[in-house]
Amino acid sequence: MDYELSTVAFALGLTLFAGLSTAIGGAIAVGRRAPGPKFLAASLGLSAGVMLYVSFMEILPEAANHFGEVYDSEMRSMGAAVTAFFGGVAVIAIIDRLVPEEINPHEPSTTDEEARRRRLMKAGVFTAAALAVHNFPEGFATFVSGLEDLSIAIPIAVAIAIHNIPEGIAVAVPLREALGSRKKAFWWATLSGLAEPLGAVIGFLILMPLLGPMTMGVALAGVAGIMVFISLDELLPTAEEFGEHHSAIYGMIGGMAVMAFSLVLFM
């Protein structure tokens, strides 16, 4: 199907707007000059809450919907989604085990502070990668809706932009502490959001005829598994290390609440 250049440009602009809102989250995360342990624990908890909620309430059900286009029963669709979910968990767990000892935060020769920084670095990079993969089909969906119906595309883009803000925080908080650089943490958060316009462009030029429900189902469910593992293995344990248990839990619940409201808007 042929589209006017102005329509394509506007749809791409919507996708860019939605994706770059991770930069707002990154700016919030790096804005404080000297964050204390309560702020860090709450921010890491918020990051975990965002990732847990979006994984179970948005990504995994969406994966099951894609499998529903392949299989003729709800049980088989959900079974495939759950299998791919734990496949994602297995992949990230294996990667975690294969991290060389010289950068492994559990290496005995490192100090507590060095171990924490390395754990935060790994958590931040994995979070950025997982969210980038998650944002890729999100950007494609926003772009396609912008080509077809602006009355649907604009609310979708606004809702995605809102829930990308805490995703930017999720990336920037651990990387700020690991790298000791607010600027680098901000740009990592921004780059994770650029996966959305990248997904739009690649999807439009190459992948639209190749992406099927099976591929999307496996990818989405696998990403959900990766994000859950990162939350439980890296973000929450690191938040607890700051000695502010309640701040970490309140932050996690707050992250879930932010995602819940953004998904209500999306619906």
Side-chain angles (χ1 to χ4, degrees), residues 48-59 255-257 259-260 263:
V50 166
M51 296 177 72
L52 289 170
Y53 194 91
V54 76
S55 294
F56 286 121
M57 299 300 292
E58 181 186 19
I59 304 179
M256 290 181 173
M259 293 308 297
L263 292 177

Side-chain angles (χ1 to χ4, degrees), residues 5 7 34 44 48 50 58 70 84 94 115 141 153-154 156 180 189 192-193 204 214 224 249 251 260:
L5 182 60
T7 302
L44 289 167
V50 166
E58 181 186 19
V70 179
I94 291 170
I154 292 176
I156 287 176
S192 72
F204 183 69
M214 177 66 76
I249 297 302

Side-chain angles (χ1 to χ4, degrees), residues 22-265:
T22 57
I24 299 174
I28 292 171
V30 304
R32 294 171 63 104
R33 289 188 177 275
K38 285 188 176 181
F39 175 80
L40 291 170
S43 298
L44 289 167
L46 181 143
S47 301
V50 166
M51 296 177 72
L52 289 170
Y53 194 91
V54 76
S55 294
F56 286 121
M57 299 300 292
E58 181 186 19
I59 304 179
L60 194 57
E62 183 62 23
N65 289 337
H66 282 289
F67 283 120
E69 299 178 32
V70 179
Y71 300 111
D72 56 1
S73 75
E74 185 176 349
M75 181 177 294
R76 293 184 67 188
S77 300
M78 184 54 68
V82 170
T83 300
F85 172 86
F86 283 106
V89 171
V91 167
I92 195 64
I94 291 170
I95 292 173
D96 184 63
R97 286 293 183 182
L98 292 178
V99 172
E101 287 189 359
E102 60 269 19
I103 62 171
N104 194 312
H106 302 292
E107 182 188 4
S109 63
T110 61
T111 66
D112 289 343
E113 183 60 28
E114 289 171 340
R116 179 180 294 170
R117 284 183 177 273
R118 289 174 178 175
R119 188 178 295 111
L120 285 166
M121 183 66 189
K122 187 169 65 172
V125 171
F126 281 175
T127 300
L131 289 174
V133 174
H134 164 52
N135 288 342
F136 191 93
E138 212 173 60
F140 185 45
T142 304
F143 181 72
V144 171
S145 65
L147 294 177
E148 299 296 331
D149 189 346
L150 292 182
S151 66
I152 297 175
I154 292 176
I156 287 176
V158 171
I160 289 176
I162 291 171
H163 89 237
N164 275 354
I165 293 173
E167 290 183 357
I169 296 174
V171 174
V173 167
L175 287 176
R176 172 181 174 168
E177 293 306 301
L179 298 170
S181 169
R182 289 187 289 173
K183 183 181 292 186
K184 290 179 180 178
F186 171 79
W187 283 114
W188 268 94
T190 302
L191 287 173
S192 72
L194 287 177
E196 294 207 3
L198 181 64
V201 172
I202 292 177
F204 183 69
L205 296 178
I206 302 172
L207 298 180
M208 190 178 288
L210 302 177
L211 282 179
M214 177 66 76
T215 304
M216 291 300 298
V218 170
L220 289 172
V223 166
I226 289 170
M227 292 172 70
V228 168
F229 183 91
I230 292 169
S231 299
L232 300 179
D233 185 63
E234 301 289 347
L235 295 177
L236 283 178
T238 305
E240 290 284 347
E241 288 180 4
F242 288 101
E244 298 290 344
H245 169 78
H246 287 100
S247 295
I249 297 302
Y250 296 154
M252 182 182 71
I253 294 171
M256 290 181 173
V258 169
M259 293 308 297
F261 283 116
S262 72
L263 292 177
V264 168
L265 289 176

